[in-house]
Amino acid sequence: MTGFNHYSNCTCGWCVNYGRSRVALADYEYNFRQRDARLLLKRSGANSVAGCYVNPNARCPRCGVPVFFYANAAGSRVYFDDLGPPWPKHPCTDNARRSILLNATQTDRPTRRSKGEVKELLSAASTAGLSRFRSFGKRYEGEWTLVVILAVDRRGQENRVEGEFLDSETNEAFWFTCRSETPLFEVGEFVSVNGKQISFVDRETLLPVAFENGSWVEPAQPTPEPPAPTSRPRPTSKSKPAQLIRKKQKNANGSKYDMTKAEMAHFDNKKVTLADLFGKLEPVVKSYAREGTRKPRDVANRLNAHGYRTALGSKWTPRLVYFLLNLMFNDKPISGPTQKPHGETRQSTAPRQKTTPPLASGEMSLDEIASRLSRLGKIVRSEQT
């Protein structure tokens, strides 16, 4: 328990020496060691296991994190977070579109650290949780280890390379051979070794290459981008009879309602025609309007309450009443008397006429229904193939 008015992470003498149990004090001291280890790694630029052995030669131009920078004569460049398989690229710069932002001019190669510095950083990495299995002077089977190249002897197409393990206390040497069309290695470069497997970065392509000791090394090739998907032609269907379909453009009032073929059956079918339905409902709906009931929802409630049904015998919904009201009140009158210029007498004009004649009794054709509904800006008749 801490002192009075002290925080739980207080570091005063009373809280540290008297106010905490031994277990809590041990945890507190370990947290301090972890913090100091992380600060040491950060100051040294060792944000990876390879960074404990090798000094990073650049910083990310976007986030400032120490990275391993490689460039070739063609102007290409790449930033790695670690040396060795899988050769992880730094995420800030692993994008060809951002290459214009990477104006780094660093050309020096990464350099090896001194043995004393390597021991100190490996201990800090173990304390900070970066690597709990690395210790200087010990090498485990199946893990990748860094080797610095000390000498290269090329004879024809054969490369004989001598190197030294960076984690060796006794400067343990390492030799390997390979064959290639062009020189691959230079003194001072680093390769990663795992048994007979060797991995390095090709100076020309800046891509990782892996091969087996004594084998032929092929130059690395960039992975081709997958082809863009091509649109398949839509299969043509058999011809269908004419039907009412949705218009592509919106009507003038910007409504989002569109009548479907199934909804059309509520207004006209073999048993009840559109003319019969109108002859029955038009005086009722207009009386509702005179009484102030004009909204589709209110009209639907009154029609259902009074026992009126659609042509299919279903109850009216606000959506169906919306179409019903538009069918009834969509007729627009012709313009009335026009104002003549000054000095001319105004003549009487013919009385107003409805643009659509009144519905005749009997069955209406699909063309007549489509002609009347098309003025709503909702649907048109079209041939589908």
Side-chain angles (χ1 to χ4, degrees):
M1 181 177 180
T2 60
F4 183 69
N5 286 337
H6 289 230
Y7 292 103
S8 59
N9 59 347
C10 178
T11 59
C12 72
W14 191 93
C15 290
V16 171
N17 296 311
Y18 303 102
R20 300 180 187 274
S21 65
R22 292 185 178 181
V23 176
L25 183 60
D27 293 339
Y28 196 70
E29 292 175 350
Y30 178 73
N31 292 336
F32 265 98
R33 290 197 301 270
Q34 277 191 327
R35 186 198 64 177
D36 294 339
R38 294 192 186 99
L39 290 176
L40 175 61
L41 295 174
K42 184 177 181 180
R43 288 196 304 266
S44 303
N47 56 340
S48 64
V49 176
C52 297
Y53 297 95
V54 180
N55 285 298
N57 61 330
R59 288 185 176 272
C60 173
R62 297 178 65 88
C63 65
V65 173
V67 290
F68 301 100
F69 172 71
Y70 285 78
N72 60 14
S76 299
R77 46 192 176 266
V78 64
Y79 294 77
F80 293 105
D81 282 332
D82 202 356
L83 299 180
W87 297 94
K89 293 183 180 179
H90 188 62
C92 292
T93 58
D94 187 16
N95 192 334
R97 297 180 179 178
R98 299 176 182 173
S99 59
I100 191 174
L101 300 175
L102 309 182
N103 52 0
T105 58
Q106 180 70 36
T107 57
D108 296 336
R109 295 174 181 170
T111 57
R112 64 184 300 182
R113 299 181 187 270
S114 63
K115 293 182 180 180
E117 188 178 9
V118 171
K119 294 178 181 180
E120 185 180 13
L121 292 177
L122 285 177
S123 177
S126 178
T127 303
L130 182 63
S131 174
R132 298 185 181 276
F133 305 101
R134 296 276 182 163
S135 59
F136 191 78
K138 292 183 180 181
R139 197 176 309 124
Y140 299 95
E141 184 179 357
E143 67 177 4
W144 291 90
T145 306
L146 285 175
V147 171
V148 59
I149 297 177
L150 302 179
V152 178
D153 182 16
R154 179 171 174 83
R155 298 180 182 181
Q157 293 182 338
E158 185 178 14
N159 304 285
R160 297 180 180 179
V161 183
E162 179 185 357
E164 179 185 330
F165 285 103
L166 297 185
D167 60 355
S168 175
E169 188 75 61
T170 59
N171 300 330
E172 181 182 353
F174 177 78
W175 291 270
F176 68 90
T177 61
C178 64
R179 290 174 293 123
S180 62
E181 294 184 357
T182 58
L184 299 177
F185 308 100
E186 292 183 358
V187 176
E189 292 181 337
F190 297 94
V191 298
S192 190
V193 179
N194 183 5
K196 293 183 179 181
Q197 297 292 324
I198 297 106
S199 180
F200 69 102
V201 176
D202 190 348
R203 295 197 308 269
E204 298 298 327
T205 62
L206 300 182
L207 295 174
V209 179
F211 65 95
E212 191 171 342
N213 190 358
S215 64
W216 177 271
V217 181
E218 294 288 347
Q221 299 294 335
T223 304
E225 296 182 358
T230 56
S231 58
R232 297 182 179 178
R234 295 182 179 179
T236 58
S237 58
K238 297 181 181 179
S239 59
K240 297 180 180 180
Q243 56 181 337
L244 299 175
I245 63 173
R246 178 182 175 181
K247 267 189 176 181
K248 293 183 179 180
Q249 68 273 14
K250 291 183 179 181
N251 64 334
N253 60 13
S255 175
K256 298 181 180 179
Y257 286 105
D258 298 308
M259 182 182 290
T260 63
K261 184 178 179 181
E263 292 170 335
M264 186 62 222
H266 289 280
F267 297 89
D268 181 84
N269 53 55
K270 294 182 180 180
K271 295 182 179 181
V272 180
T273 64
L274 182 62
D276 295 337
L277 185 68
F278 265 48
K280 181 179 180 181
L281 295 182
E282 188 172 13
V284 178
V285 173
K286 289 185 177 180
S287 65
Y288 291 165
R290 288 191 294 269
E291 296 172 2
T293 305
R294 298 183 177 89
K295 292 184 178 181
R297 183 179 298 276
D298 299 334
V299 175
N301 292 334
R302 294 193 66 176
L303 287 175
N304 294 329
H306 293 163
Y308 295 102
R309 297 293 184 261
T310 67
L312 289 178
S314 303
K315 290 186 177 182
W316 287 97
T317 65
R319 178 180 172 86
L320 294 177
V321 172
Y322 171 84
F323 296 127
L324 179 67
L325 297 179
N326 277 275
L327 289 171
M328 288 183 178
F329 301 101
N330 192 47
D331 299 332
K332 297 181 180 179
I334 303 176
S335 58
T338 57
Q339 182 67 31
K340 296 295 182 179
H342 181 71
E344 297 184 10
T345 59
R346 184 172 58 183
Q347 299 178 357
S348 61
T349 59
R352 293 185 178 182
Q353 298 179 358
K354 294 184 177 181
T355 57
T356 304
L359 294 174
S361 60
E363 183 177 1
M364 296 181 64
S365 66
L366 188 62
D367 291 332
E368 294 173 346
I369 298 174
S371 175
R372 188 173 184 86
L373 294 178
S374 63
R375 291 196 301 276
L376 301 180
K378 302 300 173 188
I379 51 179
V380 293
R381 190 176 180 201
S382 173
E383 294 289 342
Q384 291 188 352
T385 57

